[in-house]
């Protein structure tokens, strides 16, 4: 049984871990559903407070919007709602829809990259892979400034990252048809060097040396090109979880942020207590992520502790039980319980899209609904 006393004792230093979220969105043609290269016009039309929290992306049909550093999830939610609603209004004014979806659902006629030296270097290095249609993720940063501790956290998270991936599944369509995957974004990104499950490292020095070797080998452009599913942010004193599709709506995004923060707090406490990480074979971890991309929450996931396929929601329930003490300590337990109940009822983003498509046979109806969910408060 979880008690306030037991939770507080183990997580007293973890309860107020900072959290921030980066969300990537597509700009779609309202009629055809194709991606439209209007990001620069949308960014130019944003009020300063939102423009300061926006980022240029390599695809000109993409918008990235970020929150500030938060400790209270109510503050995080307010920022997400504000950014989404304002950007959606500006997108509408320039003839586009802002849509939270993990992968290009119809097509991307314009794949010209912005005139930035880094983007040109990426195209020169990686060729056609760098010109793939846009994909959109959700990246959650949790403050862990001590780097050896952060590496240990990433090790402990490996067992649960496929579950987090499944919770965010939101990209079933590509070229107007159902791919059969809940997260086509996850499949598409595997063509990129550096996009893969996080390796196990014993120390931050080993982590840094490996990154240096990969840059020297030419597989990575620089440190910022490490796109492991959990990494030490090259910019902030955080652990960055970047395995998920952008979430359909704000409430799902807040739910995932709460679970990720609690998972990081739990992992940090395990590292501090000297608990060993599970011995996981990299090929099985990779298979678990493929299964999460394939099934989302609608089928089975791989339990990396047992090496067995199990119903997805059984693993979600066990993940929740594992991080519940941290959620109790941070005051987020009720929010997460309500969020998981809603997700269990409504399904992941991929399931919601498929239900609409099954009922109408029209991808444009799906995208119109997604646009509404994206900016709903």
């Amino acid at each position: 049984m979880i008690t306030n006393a037991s939770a507080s004792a183990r997580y007293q230093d973890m309860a107020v871990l900072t959290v921030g979220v980066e969300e990537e969105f597509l700009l779609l043609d309202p009629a055809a559903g194709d991606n439209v290269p209007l990001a620069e016009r949308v960014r130019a039309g944003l009020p300063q407070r939102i423009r300061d929290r926006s980022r240029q992306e390599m695809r000109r049909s993409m918008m990235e919007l970020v929150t500030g550093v938060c400790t209270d999830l109510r503050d995080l939610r307010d920022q997400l709602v504000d950014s989404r609603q304002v950007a959606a209004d500006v997108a509408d004014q320039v003839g586009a829809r802002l849509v939270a979806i993990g992968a290009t659902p119809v097509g991307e006629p314009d794949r010209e990259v912005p005139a930035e030296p880094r983007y040109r270097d990426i195209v020169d290095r990686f060729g056609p892979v760098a010109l793939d249609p846009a994909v959109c993720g959700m990246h959650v940063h949790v403050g862990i400034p001590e780097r050896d501790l952060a590496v240990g956290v990433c090790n402990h998270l490996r067992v649960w990252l496929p579950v987090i991936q499944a919770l965010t599944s939101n990209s079933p369509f590509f070229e107007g048809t159902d791919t059969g995957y809940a997260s086509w974004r996850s499949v598409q990104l595997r063509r990129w060097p550096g996009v893969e499950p996080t390796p196990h490292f014993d120390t931050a020095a080993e982590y840094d040396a490996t990154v240096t070797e990969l840059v020297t080998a030419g597989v990575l452009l620089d440190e910022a090109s490490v796109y492991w599913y959990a990494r030490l942010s090259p910019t902030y004193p955080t652990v960055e979880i970047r395995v998920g599709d952008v979430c359909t709506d704000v409430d799902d995004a807040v739910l995932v942020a709460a679970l990720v923060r609690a998972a990081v707090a739990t992992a940090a406490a395990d590292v501090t207590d000297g608990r060993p990480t599970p011995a996981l074979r990299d090929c099985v971890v990779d298979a678990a992520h493929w299964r999460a991309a394939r099934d989302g929450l609608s089928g089975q996931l791989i339990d990396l502790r047992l090496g067995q396929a199990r119903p997805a929601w059984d693993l979600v329930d066990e993940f929740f039980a594992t991080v519940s003490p941290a959620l109790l300590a941070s005051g987020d337990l009720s929010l997460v319980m309500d969020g998981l109940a809603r997700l269990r009822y409504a399904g992941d983003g991929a399931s919601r899209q498929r239900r609409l498509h099954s009922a109408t046979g029209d991808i444009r109806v799906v995208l119109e609904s997604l646009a509404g969910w994206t900016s709903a408060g």
Side-chain angles (χ1 to χ4, degrees):
M1 178 177 178
I2 302 169
T3 66
N4 284 325
S6 63
S8 297
R10 190 161 189 250
Y11 298 99
Q12 57 182 340
D13 296 328
M14 305 297 171
V16 291
L17 293 179
T18 60
V19 62
V21 170
E22 301 167 350
E23 295 187 299
E24 296 166 337
F25 303 92
L26 285 181
L27 295 168
L28 303 183
D29 183 293
D34 285 324
N35 299 4
V36 289
L38 296 175
E40 293 175 12
R41 289 182 60 187
V42 175
R43 287 191 70 211
L46 295 172
Q48 192 65 46
R49 74 177 190 283
I50 306 297
R51 192 181 312 139
D52 289 344
R53 301 205 307 263
S54 70
R55 303 287 184 270
Q56 184 182 59
E57 286 290 335
M58 188 167 170
R59 293 269 73 80
R60 296 169 63 231
S61 59
M62 288 177 64
M63 289 281 300
E64 183 180 51
L65 299 169
V66 308
T67 70
V69 178
C70 304
T71 55
D72 189 328
L73 292 184
R74 291 170 298 185
D75 180 26
L76 182 78
R77 188 183 191 282
D78 288 345
Q79 291 187 40
L80 292 172
V81 170
D82 186 32
S83 294
R84 284 179 174 224
Q85 290 184 342
V86 171
D89 287 344
V90 176
D92 184 65
Q93 293 168 20
V94 302
R97 283 202 178 104
L98 184 83
V99 177
I101 189 171
T104 294
V106 177
E108 181 134 40
D110 184 329
R111 302 188 190 182
E112 180 182 353
V113 301
E116 298 287 339
R118 176 177 172 79
Y119 294 144
R120 298 297 181 187
D121 289 345
I122 289 173
V123 173
D124 289 344
R125 179 76 59 90
F126 301 117
V129 174
L131 299 177
D132 278 350
V135 293
C136 297
M138 173 186 179
H139 308 155
V140 183
H141 290 259
V142 181
I144 299 286
E146 205 282 297
R147 286 174 59 81
D148 278 320
L149 176 59
V151 165
V153 165
C154 291
N155 292 338
H156 278 267
L157 289 175
R158 276 160 46 101
V159 71
W160 294 119
L161 287 177
V163 179
I164 295 169
Q165 180 181 2
L167 286 164
T168 67
S169 297
N170 188 34
S171 51
F173 294 104
F174 180 66
E175 295 184 342
T177 62
D178 193 330
T179 63
Y181 285 82
S183 175
W184 185 247
R185 167 188 167 272
S186 299
V187 177
Q188 186 177 320
L189 276 175
R190 289 308 305 271
R191 285 159 52 91
W192 279 87
V195 180
E196 58 188 345
T198 310
H200 182 282
F201 297 105
D202 290 329
T203 64
E206 183 185 8
Y207 179 105
D208 293 337
T210 302
V211 172
T212 298
E213 290 175 12
L214 291 171
V215 172
T216 300
V219 175
L220 303 180
L221 199 65
D222 50 33
E223 181 187 3
S225 301
V226 174
Y227 298 134
W228 295 327
Y229 296 158
R231 69 174 184 175
L232 277 59
S233 168
T235 308
Y236 308 109
T238 64
V239 169
E240 181 184 0
I241 309 305
R242 46 188 302 119
V243 71
D245 290 355
V246 64
C247 288
T248 308
D249 56 55
V250 165
D251 287 328
D252 282 359
V254 174
L255 168 65
V256 171
L259 284 167
V260 167
R261 178 165 68 170
V264 170
T266 302
D270 286 343
V271 174
T272 301
D273 291 347
R275 299 190 181 191
T277 57
L280 305 176
R281 295 189 300 277
D282 287 344
C283 60
V284 180
V285 174
D286 194 58
H289 282 287
W290 178 87
R291 191 61 182 267
R294 181 67 171 75
D295 288 9
L297 296 178
S298 298
Q300 294 189 318
L301 299 175
I302 304 301
D303 187 336
L304 285 168
R305 301 162 301 176
L306 303 177
Q308 297 177 359
R310 299 178 58 202
W313 275 100
D314 286 358
L315 278 175
V316 172
D317 289 341
E318 291 180 19
F319 175 47
F320 170 68
T322 299
V323 303
S324 288
L327 290 168
L328 182 61
S330 64
D332 299 330
L333 186 62
S334 294
L335 179 150
V336 168
M337 291 176 66
D338 291 344
L340 288 175
R342 182 186 66 252
L343 199 60
R344 192 187 298 265
Y345 173 78
D348 55 34
S351 297
R352 294 175 218 171
Q353 292 182 54
R354 283 174 168 147
R355 281 200 301 270
L356 281 172
H357 193 255
S358 178
T360 66
D362 191 341
I363 189 69
R364 293 170 298 180
V365 173
V366 177
L367 300 178
E368 185 175 354
S369 296
L370 274 169
W373 296 338
T374 297
S375 58

